[in-house]
Amino acid sequence: MWKPTDVSNLPSPFVHEIRVTWGDCDPARIAYTGRLPVFALDAINAWWEAHLDGDGWFQLELDRNVGTPFVNLAMDFRSPVTPRHRLMCHVWPQRLGEKSITFRVDGYQDEVLCFEGTFICVFTVADVFKSQPAPPDIRAVVTPLIRP
Amino acid sequence: MWKPTDVSNLPSPFVHEIRVTWGDCDPARIAYTGRLPVFALDAINAWWEAHLDGDGWFQLELDRNVGTPFVNLAMDFRSPVTPRHRLMCHVWPQRLGEKSITFRVDGYQDEVLCFEGTFICVFTVADVFKSQPAPPDIRAVVTPLIRP
Amino acid sequence: MWKPTDVSNLPSPFVHEIRVTWGDCDPARIAYTGRLPVFALDAINAWWEAHLDGDGWFQLELDRNVGTPFVNLAMDFRSPVTPRHRLMCHVWPQRLGEKSITFRVDGYQDEVLCFEGTFICVFTVADVFKSQPAPPDIRAVVTPLIRP
Amino acid sequence: MWKPTDVSNLPSPFVHEIRVTWGDCDPARIAYTGRLPVFALDAINAWWEAHLDGDGWFQLELDRNVGTPFVNLAMDFRSPVTPRHRLMCHVWPQRLGEKSITFRVDGYQDEVLCFEGTFICVFTVADVFKSQPAPPDIRAVVTPLIRP
């Protein structure tokens, strides 16, 4: 018998809230396109902070000697972002390769999807800027959170 | 008999919390100087939101036709800002002139003063960019909050 | 007789030079990922200025009532961007649809490809934020510059 | 006999040109206040590049181990900055103390003064973030350019 995909055991995504302001907006009175990737990056950094005991990119790099530079990003802009509502960024890891991690970030305002994007990072040994496999402790944290 | 100034009736300042991140930092691994005025402006905008039923500069301009452009800012940088702690910005109005308002913003991390600054804005009729006296409803909100 | 594609008549791409600075860099001492889409957008705006008698997005919107909001962007990051060299952004229109335009931006430093990206915009009537076909005068300018 | 101050031997100020764009502007259709200190910092960095054989803050820090963190900035905003004209930033050192340097930056558009500001930096040994006297080679470059 056919059964729908059971999503009940999938982890719910992390949500990062952003206060969009006047200074984020351009003369069209919506957030400037150049701010939207920055919002998504802020959300990914917040995801790391939430899942690595408060460590974001800054602590990863300086305290753990792990870099996660971006090699690709792609975003679709669905609806303008404005200061009228908080921007709720849903973040989750979509895929964990041997040396890379792919994040998905969907941004909502007032329950309307404003943008959706994928972001691919590679793991590096930070102080020598050399590619490395995902460190085991990070792999252990990320693996159960993956939602393809 | 001499008595110290009684500060017990002064309003306590509004505090706006900012999440400082990797992207705010420069190669010296502290927040870039150019980000610090932006943090202070974000704090002032948050102050307006908190005291005008959620209306910040965006709503002031578009819904109330009131602009508050800056005519002066001055900041002292006391200690570096980093992503190690949240940046707590204490904001209060120092002075309300007929046509201008002066804000004070002090930024703290881990209870250390990182910067302090004053910011002077004038009131305008937004759609014609003309100076105007502080609107009465705004004056009524601001006046009891002034702390010289 | 077979002939290779003759590229001699293709227009050469427009190049926009960007001065990358300290403030663009993060603690890894390379330009922050969030700055790279902004650089590409600056290059696209400069392309408009160069081909519309000095009119960039600001003049398009305010003087011509034409908006070109972005609906998609995708970038590959090939090599870090640093302040050691000027960033040379090669910009050209790849495709002109009835209501959309696709730009390609390739960023080079010291002749090394740092990033490449595609950016899709739609044409709008700016003051009502409604989709419209590419205005004829703009179509006339863009068409001969298309390089698929 | 009284003589006016002879300014004929004073060095003429360095001018750094900035292309103000759509993305710098806010919904009031003028450059956002938070961008103006950044413009001035860009101009000071360009001043260093012009006077130290191409070395700006990035090269000062990484190649010369000299930091120049800001301890104070003060700006007056005289007229709105827009994308209608290039922003011409006049930069010069006003004062060289034992351990500090004060810059003046005046921003003009279409020969109208838009802002004027002073910016005080201290010299540090970059890798230990310790105050130091102005390095002799830098002092030698700066001294003849001072205009109080």
Side-chain angles (χ1 to χ4, degrees):
Chain A
M1 198 187 96
W2 177 85
K3 284 202 334 190
T5 305
D6 181 358
V7 297
S8 60
N9 293 319
L10 285 181
S12 55
F14 169 79
V15 180
H16 175 64
E17 180 182 314
I18 291 176
R19 184 190 279 257
V20 179
T21 72
W22 171 261
D24 296 314
C25 294
D26 62 27
R29 301 178 164 180
I30 58 176
Y32 177 55
T33 305
R35 295 294 297 150
L36 303 178
V38 175
F39 289 155
L41 297 182
D42 282 347
I44 295 172
N45 182 63
W47 186 92
W48 282 116
E49 287 189 5
H51 294 94
L52 293 183
D53 297 320
D55 287 2
W57 291 324
F58 187 85
Q59 294 83 1
L60 271 169
E61 175 103 5
L62 273 69
D63 303 343
R64 298 180 183 226
N65 199 25
V66 174
T68 63
F70 287 80
V71 294
N72 178 268
L73 66 79
M75 298 183 76
D76 286 303
F77 306 114
R78 302 291 186 201
S79 182
V81 171
T82 81
R84 297 271 182 209
H85 302 277
R86 294 292 187 255
L87 174 64
M88 311 307 285
C89 291
H90 297 229
V91 185
W92 68 96
Q94 271 192 326
R95 185 178 172 277
L96 182 62
E98 197 212 334
K99 297 186 167 185
S100 70
I101 181 168
T102 303
F103 284 99
R104 172 73 178 235
V105 183
D106 290 356
Y108 291 85
Q109 285 197 306
D110 198 28
E111 301 182 24
V112 174
L113 180 65
C114 298
F115 62 77
E116 48 191 330
T118 55
F119 302 81
I120 308 177
C121 306
V122 291
F123 292 96
T124 61
V125 183
D127 58 5
V128 295
F129 209 77
K130 280 262 180 188
S131 170
Q132 69 165 332
D137 55 336
I138 291 178
R139 181 171 293 278
V141 168
V142 171
T143 300
L145 299 167
I146 291 170
R147 268 186 21 183
Chain B
M1 198 188 99
W2 178 86
K3 282 202 335 189
T5 305
D6 182 358
V7 298
S8 60
N9 293 320
L10 285 181
S12 55
F14 169 79
V15 179
H16 175 63
E17 180 181 314
I18 292 175
R19 185 189 279 256
V20 180
T21 72
W22 171 262
D24 296 313
C25 294
D26 63 27
R29 302 179 163 180
I30 57 177
Y32 177 53
T33 305
R35 295 294 296 151
L36 304 179
V38 174
F39 290 155
L41 296 182
D42 282 347
I44 294 172
N45 182 63
W47 186 92
W48 282 115
E49 288 191 4
H51 293 94
L52 292 182
D53 296 320
D55 287 3
W57 291 324
F58 187 85
Q59 293 85 0
L60 271 170
E61 175 103 4
L62 273 70
D63 303 342
R64 298 180 182 225
N65 199 25
V66 174
T68 63
F70 287 80
V71 294
N72 177 268
L73 66 77
M75 299 183 76
D76 286 301
F77 307 115
R78 302 292 186 200
S79 182
V81 170
T82 81
R84 298 271 181 209
H85 302 278
R86 295 293 188 254
L87 174 64
M88 311 307 285
C89 291
H90 296 230
V91 185
W92 68 96
Q94 271 191 327
R95 186 178 172 277
L96 183 62
E98 197 212 334
K99 297 186 168 184
S100 70
I101 182 168
T102 303
F103 284 99
R104 171 74 179 234
V105 183
D106 290 354
Y108 290 86
Q109 284 197 307
D110 197 28
E111 301 183 23
V112 174
L113 179 66
C114 297
F115 63 76
E116 48 191 330
T118 54
F119 302 80
I120 308 176
C121 305
V122 290
F123 293 96
T124 61
V125 183
D127 59 4
V128 294
F129 208 76
K130 279 262 180 188
S131 170
Q132 70 166 331
D137 56 336
I138 291 179
R139 180 172 293 278
V141 169
V142 171
T143 301
L145 300 167
I146 291 171
R147 269 187 18 185
Chain C
M1 198 187 98
W2 178 85
K3 283 202 334 189
T5 306
D6 182 358
V7 297
S8 60
N9 293 319
L10 284 181
S12 55
F14 170 78
V15 179
H16 175 63
E17 181 182 313
I18 291 176
R19 186 190 279 256
V20 179
T21 72
W22 172 262
D24 296 313
C25 294
D26 63 26
R29 301 180 163 178
I30 58 177
Y32 177 54
T33 305
R35 294 295 295 151
L36 303 178
V38 174
F39 289 155
L41 297 182
D42 282 346
I44 293 172
N45 182 63
W47 186 92
W48 282 117
E49 287 191 4
H51 294 94
L52 292 182
D53 296 321
D55 286 3
W57 291 322
F58 187 84
Q59 294 84 1
L60 271 170
E61 175 103 5
L62 272 69
D63 303 342
R64 298 179 181 226
N65 199 25
V66 174
T68 62
F70 287 79
V71 294
N72 177 268
L73 67 79
M75 299 183 76
D76 287 302
F77 306 114
R78 302 293 186 197
S79 181
V81 171
T82 80
R84 298 270 181 210
H85 302 278
R86 294 292 187 254
L87 175 64
M88 311 306 286
C89 292
H90 297 229
V91 185
W92 68 96
Q94 272 193 325
R95 185 178 173 278
L96 182 63
E98 197 211 334
K99 296 187 169 185
S100 70
I101 181 167
T102 304
F103 284 100
R104 171 73 178 236
V105 183
D106 290 356
Y108 290 86
Q109 284 197 308
D110 198 28
E111 301 183 23
V112 174
L113 179 66
C114 297
F115 62 77
E116 48 192 329
T118 55
F119 301 81
I120 308 176
C121 305
V122 292
F123 293 96
T124 61
V125 183
D127 58 4
V128 293
F129 209 77
K130 278 262 180 189
S131 171
Q132 70 165 330
D137 56 336
I138 291 179
R139 180 172 294 278
V141 168
V142 171
T143 301
L145 300 167
I146 291 170
R147 268 184 22 181
Chain D
M1 199 187 96
W2 177 85
K3 282 201 335 187
T5 306
D6 182 0
V7 297
S8 60
N9 293 317
L10 285 181
S12 54
F14 169 79
V15 179
H16 176 62
E17 180 181 314
I18 291 176
R19 185 190 279 258
V20 179
T21 73
W22 172 261
D24 296 312
C25 294
D26 62 27
R29 301 180 165 180
I30 57 177
Y32 177 53
T33 305
R35 295 294 296 150
L36 304 179
V38 174
F39 289 155
L41 296 182
D42 281 348
I44 294 172
N45 182 63
W47 186 92
W48 282 116
E49 287 191 5
H51 293 95
L52 292 183
D53 297 320
D55 287 3
W57 291 323
F58 187 84
Q59 293 84 1
L60 271 170
E61 174 103 4
L62 272 70
D63 303 343
R64 299 180 182 226
N65 199 25
V66 174
T68 62
F70 287 80
V71 294
N72 176 269
L73 66 78
M75 298 183 76
D76 286 303
F77 306 114
R78 302 292 186 198
S79 182
V81 170
T82 82
R84 297 271 181 209
H85 301 278
R86 295 291 187 256
L87 175 63
M88 311 306 287
C89 292
H90 296 230
V91 185
W92 67 96
Q94 271 192 327
R95 185 179 172 277
L96 182 62
E98 197 212 332
K99 297 186 168 185
S100 70
I101 181 168
T102 304
F103 283 100
R104 172 73 179 236
V105 183
D106 289 356
Y108 290 87
Q109 284 197 308
D110 198 28
E111 301 184 23
V112 173
L113 180 66
C114 297
F115 61 76
E116 47 192 331
T118 55
F119 302 80
I120 307 176
C121 306
V122 291
F123 293 96
T124 61
V125 183
D127 58 5
V128 294
F129 209 76
K130 278 264 179 186
S131 170
Q132 69 165 332
D137 56 336
I138 291 178
R139 181 171 293 276
V141 168
V142 171
T143 301
L145 299 167
I146 292 170
R147 267 186 20 181

